[in-house]
Amino acid sequence: MTIPAPAAPTSTAPKQKSPVGLAALIVGAVAFVFAIVPVLSFIAWLPAIAAIVLGIIGLVQKGRARGFAWAGIALGVVAWIVAIVVSISSVAGLAGAVSEAVESASAAPVAPSSIAAPAETAEAEPAEASAPAEPAQPAVPSDFISALAQAESYSNIMHMSKAGVFDQLTSEYGGQFTPEAAQYAIDNVSADWNANALESAKTFRDSMSMSPAAIYDQLVSEYGSKFTAEEAQYAVDNLG
């Protein structure tokens, strides 16, 4: 009779740890820490979702331990819920603090501000303006004075017109003065040109027996007395 050999006991190999599950656990722990901090709770949902996703990946891996994966998923879910609660509480507390501050500010009596009266500024009395010094009169050249003396003679004795006096002063057969000296004499001579025209008209009438029209033409002629038309007309109108 043959006795069968006993069967060798089968040994089951232990499952290896899942790196993804471990990562899910670590990220879940970080998410939970973020969730309980008021400021960080607003972003704690990011690592919480990451922990859940990593945990799910760790669960579907074959031949890997699933303990870390389950722990990571659990921490992610808890962190998400805690983050929502802490965030809502933080917002409510902040809103209450702002509301109380506004109410306190509106209820506080406003102290009247003391407005300082502006200091009276003494108006400075304007200084008396000093009279401007009269500019020194430039010395008149001697030839200008001589031209003026001759112009007085031509006007008072010969009853010449303004243009006639100027031409006589600058003529090479007359005074031979410069145009500047002659103009100075014309500008400063004391003469009544209308009266000179009238005296010349009387001379033409009495000495040459000329008609009023001829006298007028002689008075205004560029080859004659060279009076202006107004001066000649004055003379004709006042011949008497």
Side-chain angles (χ1 to χ4, degrees), residues 201-235:
K202 289 179 180 180
T203 300
F204 293 144
R205 182 194 62 184
D206 298 340
S207 301
M208 305 176 67
S209 302
M210 297 176 66
S211 65
I215 292 173
Y216 180 90
D217 290 342
Q218 185 64 29
L219 290 175
V220 298
S221 174
E222 61 177 336
Y223 304 106
S225 301
K226 298 184 179 180
F227 284 100
T228 64
E230 292 78 9
E231 293 164 352
Q233 189 62 50
Y234 172 84

Side-chain angles (χ1 to χ4, degrees), residues 24-90:
L25 177 62
I26 295 173
V27 175
V30 172
F32 184 78
V33 173
F34 277 29
I36 61 178
V37 178
V39 177
L40 298 178
S41 63
F42 293 99
I43 60 173
W45 60 273
L46 292 173
I49 293 177
I52 294 172
V53 172
L54 290 174
I56 293 174
I57 295 174
L59 290 178
V60 299
Q61 286 183 332
K62 295 181 179 181
R64 300 288 183 178
R66 295 184 174 86
F68 288 160
W70 282 113
I73 293 174
L75 282 175
V77 173
V78 172
W80 198 342
I81 296 173
V82 172
I84 294 174
V85 174
V86 173
S87 298
I88 293 175
S89 300
S90 299

